Coordinates of all heavy atoms in Angstrom, one line a residue:
Chain A
A102 N 12.6 106.1 102.9 CA 13.6 106.0 101.8 C 15.0 106.1 102.5 O 15.9 105.4 102.1 CB 13.5 107.2 100.9
G103 N 15.2 106.9 103.6 CA 16.4 106.9 104.3 C 16.7 105.6 105.0 O 17.9 105.2 105.0
F104 N 15.7 105.0 105.5 CA 15.8 103.6 106.1 C 16.4 102.6 105.1 O 17.3 101.8 105.4 CB 14.4 103.2 106.6 CG 14.4 101.8 107.2 CD1 14.8 101.6 108.5 CD2 13.9 100.8 106.5 CE1 14.7 100.3 109.1 CE2 13.9 99.5 107.0 CZ 14.3 99.3 108.3
I105 N 15.9 102.7 103.9 CA 16.4 101.8 102.8 C 17.8 102.1 102.5 O 18.7 101.2 102.4 CB 15.4 101.9 101.6 CG1 14.1 101.3 101.9 CG2 16.1 101.2 100.4 CD1 13.0 101.7 100.9
T106 N 18.1 103.4 102.3 CA 19.4 103.9 101.9 C 20.5 103.5 103.0 O 21.6 103.1 102.6 CB 19.5 105.4 101.7 OG1 18.5 105.8 100.8 CG2 20.8 105.9 101.3
N107 N 20.1 103.6 104.2 CA 21.0 103.3 105.3 C 20.9 101.8 105.8 O 21.7 101.0 105.5 CB 20.9 104.3 106.4 CG 21.2 105.7 105.9 OD1 22.3 105.9 105.3 ND2 20.3 106.6 106.0
K108 N 19.9 101.6 106.6 CA 19.7 100.3 107.3 C 19.7 99.1 106.3 O 20.4 98.1 106.5 CB 18.5 100.3 108.2 CG 18.6 101.3 109.3 CD 19.2 100.7 110.5 CE 19.3 101.7 111.6 NZ 20.1 101.3 112.8
L109 N 18.7 99.1 105.4 CA 18.5 98.0 104.5 C 19.8 97.7 103.7 O 20.2 96.6 103.6 CB 17.3 98.2 103.6 CG 17.0 97.0 102.7 CD1 16.3 95.9 103.4 CD2 16.2 97.4 101.5
D110 N 20.3 98.8 103.1 CA 21.4 98.6 102.2 C 22.6 98.1 103.0 O 23.4 97.2 102.5 CB 21.8 99.9 101.5 CG 22.9 99.7 100.5 OD1 22.8 98.8 99.6 OD2 23.9 100.4 100.6
Q111 N 22.9 98.6 104.2 CA 24.0 98.2 104.9 C 23.9 96.7 105.4 O 24.9 96.0 105.3 CB 24.2 99.1 106.2 CG 25.0 100.4 105.9 CD 24.9 101.4 107.0 OE1 24.7 101.0 108.1 NE2 25.0 102.6 106.6
A112 N 22.7 96.3 105.8 CA 22.5 94.9 106.2 C 22.7 94.1 104.9 O 23.3 93.0 105.0 CB 21.2 94.7 106.8
G113 N 22.1 94.5 103.8 CA 22.2 93.7 102.6 C 23.6 93.5 102.1 O 23.9 92.4 101.6
R114 N 24.4 94.5 102.1 CA 25.8 94.4 101.7 C 26.5 93.3 102.5 O 27.3 92.5 102.0 CB 26.6 95.7 102.0 CG 26.5 96.7 100.9 CD 27.1 98.0 101.4 NE 26.6 99.0 100.5 CZ 27.2 99.5 99.5 NH1 28.4 99.1 99.2 NH2 26.7 100.4 98.7
K115 N 26.3 93.3 103.8 CA 26.9 92.3 104.7 C 26.5 90.9 104.4 O 27.2 90.0 104.6 CB 26.7 92.7 106.2 CG 27.5 93.9 106.6 CD 27.3 94.2 108.0 CE 28.1 95.5 108.4 NZ 27.6 96.0 109.7
V116 N 25.3 90.8 103.9 CA 24.7 89.4 103.6 C 25.6 88.7 102.5 O 25.9 87.6 102.6 CB 23.3 89.5 103.1 CG1 22.8 88.2 102.4 CG2 22.3 89.9 104.2
Y117 N 26.1 89.5 101.6 CA 27.0 88.9 100.5 C 28.5 89.2 100.7 O 29.3 88.6 99.9 CB 26.5 89.2 99.1 CG 26.5 90.6 98.7 CD1 27.7 91.2 98.3 CD2 25.4 91.4 98.8 CE1 27.7 92.6 97.9 CE2 25.4 92.7 98.5 CZ 26.6 93.3 98.0 OH 26.6 94.6 97.7
R118 N 28.8 90.0 101.7 CA 30.2 90.4 101.8 C 30.9 89.8 103.0 O 32.1 90.0 103.2 CB 30.3 91.9 101.9 CG 30.3 92.7 100.6 CD 30.2 94.2 100.9 NE 30.1 94.9 99.7 CZ 31.0 95.6 99.1 NH1 32.2 95.7 99.6 NH2 30.8 96.3 98.0
T119 N 30.2 89.2 103.9 CA 30.8 88.8 105.2 C 30.5 87.3 105.4 O 29.7 86.6 104.7 CB 30.2 89.6 106.4 OG1 28.8 89.3 106.5 CG2 30.5 91.0 106.3
K120 N 31.2 86.8 106.4 CA 31.1 85.4 106.8 C 30.9 85.3 108.3 O 31.1 86.3 109.0 CB 32.4 84.6 106.5 CG 32.5 84.3 105.0 CD 33.7 83.5 104.7 CE 33.7 82.9 103.3 NZ 34.9 82.1 103.0
G121 N 30.6 84.1 108.8 CA 30.5 83.9 110.3 C 29.5 84.7 111.0 O 28.3 84.9 110.5
E122 N 29.8 85.2 112.2 CA 28.9 85.8 113.1 C 28.3 87.1 112.5 O 27.1 87.3 112.6 CB 29.6 86.2 114.4 CG 28.7 86.4 115.6 CD 29.5 86.7 116.8 OE1 30.6 86.0 117.0 OE2 29.1 87.5 117.6
E123 N 29.1 87.9 111.8 CA 28.7 89.1 111.2 C 27.6 88.8 110.1 O 26.6 89.5 109.9 CB 29.9 89.9 110.6 CG 29.6 91.3 110.3 CD 30.8 92.1 109.7 OE1 31.8 91.5 109.5 OE2 30.7 93.3 109.6
H124 N 27.9 87.7 109.4 CA 27.0 87.3 108.3 C 25.7 86.9 108.9 O 24.6 87.3 108.4 CB 27.6 86.2 107.5 CG 26.7 85.6 106.4 ND1 26.0 84.4 106.6 CD2 26.4 86.1 105.2 CE1 25.3 84.2 105.5 NE2 25.5 85.2 104.7
E125 N 25.7 86.1 109.9 CA 24.5 85.6 110.5 C 23.6 86.8 111.1 O 22.4 86.8 110.9 CB 24.8 84.6 111.7 CG 23.6 84.0 112.4 CD 22.7 83.3 111.5 OE1 23.1 82.7 110.5 OE2 21.5 83.3 111.8
K126 N 24.3 87.7 111.7 CA 23.6 88.9 112.2 C 23.0 89.7 111.1 O 21.8 90.2 111.2 CB 24.6 89.8 113.0 CG 23.9 90.8 113.9 CD 25.0 91.5 114.7 CE 24.4 92.9 115.1 NZ 25.5 93.9 115.2
S127 N 23.7 89.9 110.0 CA 23.3 90.7 108.9 C 22.1 90.1 108.2 O 21.1 90.8 107.8 CB 24.4 91.0 107.9 OG 24.7 89.8 107.1
R128 N 22.0 88.8 108.0 CA 20.9 88.2 107.3 C 19.6 88.3 108.2 O 18.5 88.5 107.6 CB 21.2 86.7 106.9 CG 21.5 85.7 108.0 CD 21.8 84.4 107.5 NE 20.6 83.7 107.0 CZ 19.8 83.0 107.8 NH1 20.0 83.0 109.1 NH2 18.7 82.4 107.3
Q129 N 19.8 88.3 109.5 CA 18.6 88.5 110.3 C 18.1 89.9 110.3 O 17.0 90.2 110.1 CB 18.9 88.1 111.8 CG 19.1 86.6 112.0 CD 19.5 86.2 113.4 OE1 19.2 87.0 114.3 NE2 20.1 85.1 113.6
E130 N 19.1 90.9 110.3 CA 18.8 92.3 110.2 C 18.1 92.6 108.9 O 17.2 93.4 108.9 CB 20.1 93.1 110.3 CG 20.4 93.5 111.7 CD 21.7 94.4 111.8 OE1 22.1 94.9 110.7 OE2 22.3 94.5 112.9
F131 N 18.7 92.0 107.8 CA 18.1 92.3 106.5 C 16.7 91.9 106.4 O 15.8 92.6 106.0 CB 19.0 91.6 105.4 CG 18.5 91.8 104.0 CD1 18.8 93.0 103.4 CD2 17.8 90.9 103.3 CE1 18.4 93.3 102.1 CE2 17.4 91.1 102.0 CZ 17.7 92.4 101.4
M132 N 16.4 90.7 107.0 CA 15.0 90.3 106.9 C 14.1 91.1 107.8 O 12.9 91.4 107.5 CB 14.9 88.8 107.3 CG 13.6 88.1 107.0 SD 13.0 88.3 105.3 CE 13.6 86.9 104.5
E133 N 14.6 91.5 109.0 CA 13.9 92.4 109.8 C 13.5 93.7 109.1 O 12.4 94.2 109.2 CB 14.6 92.8 111.1 CG 14.7 91.7 112.2 CD 13.3 91.2 112.5 OE1 12.4 92.0 112.8 OE2 13.1 89.9 112.4
C134 N 14.5 94.3 108.4 CA 14.2 95.5 107.6 C 13.1 95.3 106.6 O 12.2 96.1 106.4 CB 15.5 95.9 106.8 SG 16.8 96.6 107.9

Side-chain angles (χ1 to χ4, degrees):
Chain A
F104 176 82
I105 292 164
T106 303
N107 297 307
K108 295 274 179 187
L109 181 80
D110 183 55
Q111 277 168 27
R114 272 168 201 265
K115 287 182 184 166
V116 166
Y117 63 82
R118 278 173 185 254
T119 63
K120 286 185 168 179
E122 202 178 319
E123 195 177 9
H124 175 258
E125 182 54 32
K126 198 176 151 212
S127 72
R128 59 183 287 280
Q129 290 178 23
E130 270 182 15
F131 184 74
M132 193 51 94
E133 283 309 309
C134 289

